Amino acid sequence: MIHGVGGLSFPQNELSYNFVEVLDKYFSHVVIQIMFNLYKVHIILDEMIQNGHIEETNKNRILAPLLALDKMSEAH
């Protein structure tokens, strides 16, 4: 799924697995939701990878900014 990500200090298989787990945790119907919420996928990747290095692998910390955005959009 993330074949284009290279040069990382984290083994790609573990990164791919963690990425898919995070997507599964956030999106209920992964494929359909990803198509309509690609910007959220970018937010997830931005939380996980910074400057070509894995910065975060904890799913709850990765999803915290998205959940905060969801709460703000529900409030309006």
Side-chain angles (χ1 to χ4, degrees):
M1 180 172 275
I2 55 169
H3 303 294
V5 178
L8 300 172
S9 60
F10 196 72
Q12 190 168 353
N13 287 342
E14 291 179 46
L15 174 63
S16 298
Y17 183 74
N18 194 45
F19 181 60
V20 170
E21 281 187 330
V22 171
L23 291 177
D24 187 48
K25 185 172 181 171
Y26 184 75
F27 296 107
S28 57
H29 302 287
V30 175
V31 176
I32 295 170
Q33 292 295 324
I34 287 173
M35 289 172 46
F36 294 108
N37 295 290
L38 195 55
Y39 71 98
K40 291 182 178 182
V41 175
H42 289 149
I43 292 171
I44 290 170
L45 280 173
D46 286 343
E47 289 298 313
M48 292 178 72
I49 303 168
Q50 294 178 5
N51 296 324
H53 297 282
I54 301 299
E55 292 295 321
E56 188 60 70
T57 58
N58 181 289
K59 293 171 199 65
N60 292 328
R61 284 188 236 152
I62 292 168
L63 292 175
L66 275 178
L67 297 176
L69 286 173
D70 288 347
K71 275 187 176 180
M72 288 185 343
S73 67
E74 289 173 1
H76 294 294

Coordinates of all heavy atoms in Angstrom, one line a residue:
M1 N 0.8 -1.2 0.0 CA 0.0 0.0 0.0 C 0.9 1.3 0.0 O 0.5 2.2 -0.6 CB -0.9 0.0 1.2 CG -1.8 1.2 1.3 SD -3.1 1.1 2.6 CE -4.3 0.2 1.6
I2 N 2.0 1.2 0.7 CA 2.8 2.4 0.7 C 4.2 2.1 0.0 O 5.2 2.5 0.5 CB 3.0 2.9 2.2 CG1 3.6 1.8 3.0 CG2 1.8 3.5 2.7 CD1 4.0 2.3 4.4
H3 N 4.1 1.6 -1.1 CA 5.3 1.2 -1.8 C 6.2 2.4 -2.2 O 7.4 2.2 -2.3 CB 5.0 0.4 -3.1 CG 4.1 -0.8 -2.8 ND1 4.6 -1.9 -2.1 CD2 2.9 -1.1 -3.2 CE1 3.6 -2.8 -2.0 NE2 2.6 -2.3 -2.6
G4 N 5.6 3.6 -2.3 CA 6.4 4.7 -2.6 C 7.2 5.3 -1.5 O 8.0 6.2 -1.7
V5 N 7.1 4.9 -0.3 CA 7.8 5.4 0.8 C 9.1 4.6 0.9 O 9.2 3.4 1.1 CB 7.0 5.2 2.2 CG1 7.9 5.7 3.3 CG2 5.7 5.9 2.1
G6 N 10.2 5.3 0.8 CA 11.5 4.7 0.8 C 12.5 5.4 1.7 O 12.3 6.6 2.1
G7 N 13.7 4.9 1.9 CA 14.7 5.5 2.7 C 14.4 5.7 4.1 O 14.8 6.6 4.8
L8 N 13.6 4.8 4.7 CA 13.2 4.9 6.1 C 14.1 4.1 7.0 O 14.5 3.0 6.6 CB 11.7 4.5 6.2 CG 10.7 5.3 5.4 CD1 9.3 4.7 5.5 CD2 10.7 6.8 5.9
S9 N 14.3 4.5 8.2 CA 15.1 3.8 9.1 C 14.3 2.6 9.8 O 14.8 1.9 10.6 CB 15.7 4.7 10.2 OG 14.6 5.3 10.9
F10 N 13.0 2.6 9.5 CA 12.1 1.6 10.1 C 11.8 0.5 9.1 O 11.6 0.9 7.9 CB 10.8 2.3 10.5 CG 9.8 1.6 11.4 CD1 10.1 1.5 12.7 CD2 8.6 1.1 10.9 CE1 9.3 0.8 13.6 CE2 7.8 0.4 11.8 CZ 8.1 0.3 13.1
P11 N 11.9 -0.8 9.4 CA 11.7 -1.8 8.4 C 10.3 -1.6 7.7 O 9.3 -1.4 8.4 CB 11.7 -3.1 9.2 CG 12.5 -2.8 10.4 CD 12.2 -1.3 10.7
Q12 N 10.3 -1.6 6.4 CA 9.1 -1.3 5.6 C 7.9 -2.2 5.9 O 6.8 -1.8 6.0 CB 9.4 -1.3 4.1 CG 8.2 -0.8 3.3 CD 8.6 -0.5 1.9 OE1 9.7 -0.6 1.5 NE2 7.6 -0.1 1.1
N13 N 8.2 -3.5 6.2 CA 7.1 -4.4 6.5 C 6.4 -4.0 7.8 O 5.2 -4.0 7.9 CB 7.6 -5.9 6.6 CG 7.9 -6.5 5.3 OD1 7.5 -6.0 4.2 ND2 8.7 -7.5 5.3
E14 N 7.2 -3.6 8.8 CA 6.6 -3.2 10.0 C 5.9 -1.9 9.9 O 4.8 -1.6 10.4 CB 7.7 -3.0 11.1 CG 8.3 -4.4 11.6 CD 9.3 -4.2 12.6 OE1 9.1 -3.4 13.6 OE2 10.4 -4.8 12.5
L15 N 6.4 -1.0 9.1 CA 5.8 0.3 8.8 C 4.4 0.1 8.1 O 3.4 0.7 8.4 CB 6.7 1.2 7.9 CG 6.1 2.5 7.4 CD1 5.7 3.4 8.6 CD2 7.0 3.2 6.5
S16 N 4.5 -0.8 7.0 CA 3.2 -1.1 6.3 C 2.2 -1.7 7.2 O 1.0 -1.3 7.1 CB 3.5 -2.1 5.2 OG 4.4 -1.6 4.3
Y17 N 2.6 -2.6 8.0 CA 1.6 -3.2 9.0 C 1.0 -2.2 9.9 O -0.2 -2.2 10.1 CB 2.3 -4.3 9.7 CG 1.5 -5.1 10.7 CD1 0.5 -6.0 10.2 CD2 1.5 -4.9 12.0 CE1 -0.3 -6.7 11.0 CE2 0.7 -5.6 12.9 CZ -0.2 -6.5 12.4 OH -1.0 -7.2 13.3
N18 N 1.9 -1.4 10.5 CA 1.4 -0.3 11.4 C 0.5 0.7 10.7 O -0.6 1.0 11.3 CB 2.6 0.4 12.1 CG 2.2 1.2 13.3 OD1 1.4 0.7 14.1 ND2 2.7 2.4 13.4
F19 N 0.8 1.1 9.5 CA 0.0 2.0 8.7 C -1.4 1.4 8.5 O -2.4 2.1 8.7 CB 0.8 2.3 7.4 CG 0.0 3.3 6.6 CD1 -0.3 4.6 7.0 CD2 -0.3 3.0 5.3 CE1 -0.9 5.5 6.2 CE2 -1.0 3.9 4.5 CZ -1.3 5.1 4.9
V20 N -1.4 0.2 8.1 CA -2.7 -0.5 7.8 C -3.5 -0.6 9.1 O -4.7 -0.4 9.0 CB -2.5 -1.8 7.1 CG1 -3.8 -2.6 7.0 CG2 -1.9 -1.7 5.7
E21 N -2.9 -0.9 10.2 CA -3.6 -1.0 11.4 C -4.2 0.3 11.8 O -5.3 0.4 12.3 CB -2.7 -1.5 12.6 CG -2.4 -3.0 12.6 CD -1.6 -3.4 13.8 OE1 -0.8 -2.6 14.3 OE2 -1.8 -4.5 14.2
V22 N -3.5 1.4 11.7 CA -4.0 2.7 12.0 C -5.2 3.1 11.1 O -6.2 3.6 11.5 CB -2.9 3.8 11.9 CG1 -3.4 5.2 12.0 CG2 -1.8 3.6 12.9
L23 N -5.0 2.8 9.8 CA -6.1 3.1 8.8 C -7.4 2.3 9.2 O -8.5 2.8 9.2 CB -5.7 2.7 7.4 CG -4.7 3.6 6.8 CD1 -4.3 3.1 5.4 CD2 -5.1 5.1 6.7
D24 N -7.2 1.0 9.6 CA -8.3 0.2 10.0 C -8.9 0.7 11.3 O -10.1 0.6 11.4 CB -7.8 -1.3 10.2 CG -8.9 -2.2 10.4 OD1 -9.9 -2.2 9.7 OD2 -8.8 -3.0 11.4
K25 N -8.1 1.2 12.2 CA -8.7 1.7 13.5 C -9.5 3.0 13.2 O -10.5 3.2 13.9 CB -7.5 2.0 14.4 CG -8.0 2.4 15.8 CD -6.8 2.5 16.8 CE -7.3 2.9 18.2 NZ -6.3 2.8 19.2
Y26 N -9.1 3.8 12.3 CA -9.8 5.1 12.1 C -11.0 5.0 11.1 O -12.0 5.5 11.4 CB -8.8 6.2 11.6 CG -9.5 7.5 11.5 CD1 -9.8 8.3 12.6 CD2 -9.9 8.0 10.2 CE1 -10.4 9.5 12.5 CE2 -10.5 9.2 10.1 CZ -10.8 10.0 11.2 OH -11.4 11.2 11.1
F27 N -10.8 4.3 10.0 CA -11.8 4.2 9.0 C -12.5 2.8 9.2 O -11.9 1.8 9.3 CB -11.2 4.2 7.6 CG -10.5 5.5 7.2 CD1 -9.1 5.6 7.2 CD2 -11.2 6.6 7.0 CE1 -8.5 6.8 6.9 CE2 -10.6 7.8 6.6 CZ -9.2 7.9 6.6
S28 N -13.9 2.9 9.1 CA -14.6 1.7 9.2 C -14.6 0.9 7.9 O -14.5 -0.3 8.0 CB -16.1 2.0 9.7 OG -16.7 2.9 8.7
H29 N -14.8 1.5 6.8 CA -14.8 0.8 5.5 C -13.6 1.4 4.8 O -13.7 2.3 4.0 CB -16.1 1.0 4.7 CG -17.3 0.6 5.4 ND1 -17.6 -0.8 5.6 CD2 -18.3 1.3 6.1 CE1 -18.7 -0.9 6.3 NE2 -19.1 0.3 6.6
V30 N -12.4 0.8 5.0 CA -11.1 1.3 4.6 C -11.1 1.9 3.2 O -10.8 3.0 3.0 CB -10.0 0.3 4.9 CG1 -8.7 0.9 4.4 CG2 -9.9 0.0 6.4
V31 N -11.4 1.0 2.2 CA -11.2 1.4 0.8 C -12.0 2.6 0.4 O -11.6 3.6 -0.1 CB -11.4 0.2 -0.1 CG1 -11.3 0.7 -1.6 CG2 -10.4 -0.9 0.2
I32 N -13.3 2.5 0.7 CA -14.2 3.6 0.4 C -13.9 4.9 1.1 O -13.9 6.0 0.5 CB -15.7 3.2 0.6 CG1 -16.1 2.0 -0.3 CG2 -16.7 4.3 0.5 CD1 -17.4 1.4 0.0
Q33 N -13.7 4.8 2.4 CA -13.4 6.0 3.2 C -12.1 6.6 2.8 O -12.0 7.9 2.8 CB -13.3 5.6 4.7 CG -14.6 5.2 5.3 CD -15.6 6.4 5.3 OE1 -15.2 7.5 5.5 NE2 -16.9 6.1 5.0
I34 N -11.1 5.8 2.5 CA -9.8 6.4 2.0 C -10.0 7.2 0.8 O -9.4 8.3 0.6 CB -8.7 5.3 1.8 CG1 -8.3 4.8 3.2 CG2 -7.5 5.8 1.1 CD1 -7.4 3.6 3.1
M35 N -10.8 6.7 -0.2 CA -11.0 7.4 -1.4 C -11.6 8.8 -1.2 O -11.2 9.7 -1.9 CB -11.9 6.6 -2.3 CG -11.2 5.3 -2.9 SD -12.4 4.2 -3.8 CE -13.3 5.3 -4.8
F36 N -12.5 8.9 -0.3 CA -13.2 10.2 0.0 C -12.5 11.1 1.1 O -12.9 12.2 1.3 CB -14.6 10.0 0.3 CG -15.4 9.4 -0.8 CD1 -15.8 8.1 -0.8 CD2 -15.7 10.1 -1.9 CE1 -16.5 7.5 -1.8 CE2 -16.4 9.6 -3.0 CZ -16.8 8.3 -2.9
N37 N -11.5 10.5 1.7 CA -10.8 11.2 2.8 C -9.3 11.1 2.7 O -8.6 10.9 3.7 CB -11.3 10.7 4.2 CG -12.7 10.9 4.4 OD1 -13.1 12.1 4.6 ND2 -13.5 9.9 4.4
L38 N -8.8 11.3 1.5 CA -7.4 11.2 1.3 C -6.5 12.1 2.1 O -5.4 11.8 2.6 CB -7.1 11.3 -0.2 CG -5.7 10.9 -0.7 CD1 -5.5 9.4 -0.3 CD2 -5.5 11.1 -2.2
Y39 N -7.1 13.3 2.4 CA -6.3 14.3 3.2 C -6.1 13.7 4.6 O -5.1 14.0 5.2 CB -7.1 15.6 3.2 CG -8.3 15.6 4.0 CD1 -8.3 16.1 5.3 CD2 -9.5 15.2 3.5 CE1 -9.5 16.1 6.1 CE2 -10.7 15.2 4.2 CZ -10.7 15.7 5.5 OH -11.8 15.7 6.2
K40 N -7.0 12.9 5.1 CA -6.9 12.3 6.4 C -5.8 11.2 6.4 O -5.0 11.1 7.4 CB -8.2 11.7 6.9 CG -9.2 12.8 7.3 CD -10.5 12.2 7.8 CE -11.5 13.3 8.2 NZ -12.7 12.7 8.7
V41 N -5.6 10.5 5.3 CA -4.6 9.6 5.2 C -3.2 10.3 5.2 O -2.3 9.9 5.8 CB -4.7 8.7 3.9 CG1 -3.5 7.8 3.7 CG2 -6.0 7.9 3.9
H42 N -3.2 11.5 4.5 CA -1.9 12.3 4.6 C -1.6 12.7 6.0 O -0.4 12.8 6.4 CB -2.1 13.5 3.6 CG -2.0 13.1 2.2 ND1 -2.7 13.7 1.2 CD2 -1.4 12.0 1.6 CE1 -2.5 13.1 0.0 NE2 -1.7 12.1 0.2
I43 N -2.6 13.1 6.7 CA -2.4 13.5 8.1 C -1.8 12.3 8.9 O -0.9 12.5 9.7 CB -3.7 14.0 8.8 CG1 -4.1 15.3 8.1 CG2 -3.5 14.2 10.3 CD1 -5.5 15.8 8.6
I44 N -2.4 11.2 8.7 CA -1.8 10.0 9.4 C -0.4 9.7 9.1 O 0.5 9.5 9.9 CB -2.7 8.7 9.1 CG1 -4.1 8.8 9.7 CG2 -2.0 7.4 9.5 CD1 -5.1 7.8 9.3
L45 N 0.0 9.8 7.8 CA 1.3 9.6 7.3 C 2.2 10.7 7.9 O 3.4 10.4 8.3 CB 1.5 9.6 5.8 CG 1.1 8.2 5.2 CD1 1.1 8.4 3.7 CD2 2.0 7.1 5.6
D46 N 1.7 11.9 7.9 CA 2.5 13.0 8.5 C 2.8 12.8 10.0 O 3.9 13.2 10.5 CB 1.8 14.4 8.3 CG 1.9 14.9 6.9 OD1 2.7 14.4 6.1 OD2 1.1 15.8 6.5
E47 N 1.9 12.2 10.7 CA 2.1 12.0 12.1 C 3.1 10.8 12.3 O 3.9 10.8 13.2 CB 0.8 11.6 12.8 CG -0.1 12.8 13.0 CD 0.5 13.9 13.8 OE1 1.0 13.6 14.9 OE2 0.4 15.0 13.4
M48 N 3.1 9.9 11.4 CA 4.0 8.7 11.5 C 5.4 9.0 11.0 O 6.4 8.5 11.6 CB 3.4 7.5 10.7 CG 2.1 7.0 11.2 SD 1.5 5.6 10.2 CE 2.6 4.3 10.6
I49 N 5.5 9.7 9.9 CA 6.8 9.9 9.2 C 7.1 11.4 9.1 O 6.3 12.2 8.6 CB 6.8 9.3 7.8 CG1 6.4 7.8 7.8 CG2 8.1 9.5 7.1 CD1 6.1 7.2 6.5
Q50 N 8.3 11.8 9.6 CA 8.8 13.1 9.4 C 10.2 13.1 9.0 O 11.0 12.4 9.6 CB 8.6 13.9 10.7 CG 7.1 14.1 11.1 CD 6.9 14.8 12.4 OE1 7.9 15.2 13.0 NE2 5.7 14.8 12.9
N51 N 10.5 13.9 7.9 CA 11.9 14.0 7.4 C 12.4 12.6 7.0 O 13.6 12.3 7.2 CB 12.8 14.7 8.3 CG 12.4 16.1 8.5 OD1 11.9 16.8 7.6 ND2 12.6 16.6 9.7
G52 N 11.6 11.7 6.6 CA 12.0 10.4 6.2 C 12.3 9.4 7.3 O 12.8 8.3 7.1
H53 N 11.9 9.8 8.5 CA 12.1 8.9 9.7 C 10.8 8.7 10.4 O 9.9 9.5 10.4 CB 13.1 9.6 10.7 CG 14.4 9.8 10.1 ND1 15.4 8.8 10.0 CD2 15.0 10.9 9.6 CE1 16.5 9.2 9.4 NE2 16.3 10.5 9.2
I54 N 10.6 7.5 10.9 CA 9.5 7.2 11.7 C 9.5 7.9 13.0 O 10.5 7.8 13.8 CB 9.4 5.6 12.0 CG1 9.3 4.9 10.7 CG2 8.1 5.3 12.8 CD1 8.2 5.2 9.8
E55 N 8.5 8.8 13.2 CA 8.5 9.6 14.4 C 7.5 9.0 15.5 O 7.7 9.2 16.7 CB 8.1 11.0 14.1 CG 9.1 11.8 13.3 CD 10.4 12.0 14.1 OE1 10.4 12.2 15.3 OE2 11.5 11.8 13.5
E56 N 6.5 8.3 15.0 CA 5.4 7.8 15.9 C 4.9 6.5 15.4 O 4.6 6.4 14.2 CB 4.3 8.8 16.0 CG 3.3 8.5 17.1 CD 3.9 8.4 18.5 OE1 4.4 9.4 19.0 OE2 4.0 7.3 19.0
T57 N 4.7 5.5 16.3 CA 4.1 4.3 16.0 C 2.9 3.9 16.9 O 2.2 3.0 16.6 CB 5.1 3.1 16.1 OG1 5.6 3.0 17.4 CG2 6.2 3.2 15.1
N58 N 2.7 4.7 17.9 CA 1.6 4.5 18.8 C 0.3 5.0 18.1 O 0.1 6.2 17.7 CB 1.8 5.3 20.1 CG 0.7 5.1 21.1 OD1 -0.4 5.6 20.8 ND2 0.9 4.4 22.1
K59 N -0.6 4.1 17.9 CA -1.9 4.4 17.1 C -2.7 5.5 17.7 O -3.2 6.3 17.0 CB -2.7 3.1 17.0 CG -2.0 2.0 16.1 CD -2.8 0.7 16.2 CE -2.0 -0.4 15.8 NZ -0.9 -0.8 16.6
N60 N -2.8 5.5 19.1 CA -3.6 6.5 19.7 C -3.0 7.9 19.5 O -3.7 8.9 19.3 CB -3.8 6.3 21.2 CG -4.6 5.0 21.4 OD1 -5.5 4.8 20.7 ND2 -4.3 4.3 22.5
R61 N -1.7 8.0 19.6 CA -1.0 9.3 19.4 C -1.1 9.7 17.9 O -1.1 10.9 17.6 CB 0.5 9.3 19.8 CG 0.6 9.3 21.3 CD 2.0 9.5 21.8 NE 2.2 8.4 22.7 CZ 3.4 7.8 22.9 NH1 4.5 8.2 22.3 NH2 3.5 6.9 23.8
I62 N -1.0 8.8 17.0 CA -1.1 9.1 15.6 C -2.5 9.6 15.2 O -2.6 10.6 14.5 CB -0.8 7.8 14.7 CG1 0.7 7.4 14.9 CG2 -1.2 8.0 13.3 CD1 1.0 6.0 14.3
L63 N -3.5 9.0 15.9 CA -4.9 9.4 15.5 C -5.4 10.7 16.3 O -6.4 11.3 16.0 CB -5.8 8.3 15.8 CG -5.7 7.1 14.9 CD1 -6.6 6.0 15.3 CD2 -6.0 7.5 13.4
A64 N -4.6 11.1 17.3 CA -5.1 12.2 18.2 C -5.4 13.5 17.4 O -6.5 14.1 17.6 CB -4.0 12.5 19.3
P65 N -4.6 13.9 16.4 CA -4.9 15.1 15.7 C -6.2 15.0 14.9 O -7.0 15.9 14.8 CB -3.7 15.4 14.8 CG -2.6 14.6 15.4 CD -3.2 13.5 16.1
L66 N -6.4 13.8 14.3 CA -7.6 13.6 13.5 C -8.8 13.6 14.3 O -9.9 14.1 14.0 CB -7.5 12.2 12.7 CG -6.8 12.2 11.4 CD1 -6.7 10.8 10.8 CD2 -7.5 13.2 10.4
L67 N -8.7 12.9 15.5 CA -9.9 12.9 16.4 C -10.2 14.3 16.9 O -11.4 14.6 17.0 CB -9.6 11.9 17.5 CG -9.4 10.5 17.1 CD1 -9.0 9.6 18.3 CD2 -10.6 9.9 16.4
A68 N -9.2 15.1 17.1 CA -9.4 16.5 17.5 C -10.1 17.3 16.4 O -11.1 18.1 16.7 CB -8.1 17.2 17.9
L69 N -9.7 17.1 15.2 CA -10.3 17.7 14.0 C -11.8 17.3 13.9 O -12.7 18.1 13.6 CB -9.6 17.5 12.7 CG -8.2 18.2 12.6 CD1 -7.5 17.6 11.3 CD2 -8.5 19.7 12.4
D70 N -12.0 16.0 14.1 CA -13.4 15.5 14.0 C -14.3 16.1 15.0 O -15.4 16.5 14.8 CB -13.4 14.0 14.2 CG -12.8 13.2 13.0 OD1 -12.6 13.8 11.9 OD2 -12.5 12.0 13.1
K71 N -13.8 16.3 16.3 CA -14.5 16.9 17.3 C -14.9 18.3 17.0 O -16.0 18.8 17.2 CB -13.8 16.8 18.7 CG -14.0 15.6 19.4 CD -13.3 15.7 20.8 CE -13.6 14.4 21.6 NZ -13.0 14.5 22.9
M72 N -13.9 19.1 16.5 CA -14.1 20.5 16.1 C -15.1 20.6 15.0 O -16.0 21.5 15.0 CB -12.8 21.1 15.7 CG -11.8 21.4 16.8 SD -10.3 22.3 16.5 CE -10.1 22.2 14.8
S73 N -15.1 19.7 14.0 CA -16.0 19.8 12.9 C -17.4 19.4 13.4 O -18.4 19.9 12.8 CB -15.6 18.9 11.7 OG -15.6 17.6 12.0
E74 N -17.5 18.5 14.3 CA -18.9 18.1 14.9 C -19.5 19.3 15.7 O -20.7 19.4 15.7 CB -18.8 16.9 15.7 CG -18.5 15.6 14.9 CD -18.2 14.4 15.8 OE1 -18.3 14.6 17.1 OE2 -17.9 13.3 15.3
A75 N -18.6 20.1 16.3 CA -19.1 21.2 17.2 C -19.7 22.3 16.3 O -20.5 23.0 16.8 CB -18.0 21.7 18.0
H76 N -19.3 22.4 15.1 CA -19.9 23.5 14.2 C -21.0 23.0 13.5 O -21.5 22.5 12.8 CB -18.8 24.0 13.3 CG -17.7 24.7 14.1 ND1 -17.9 25.8 14.7 CD2 -16.4 24.4 14.2 CE1 -16.7 26.2 15.3 NE2 -15.8 25.3 15.0

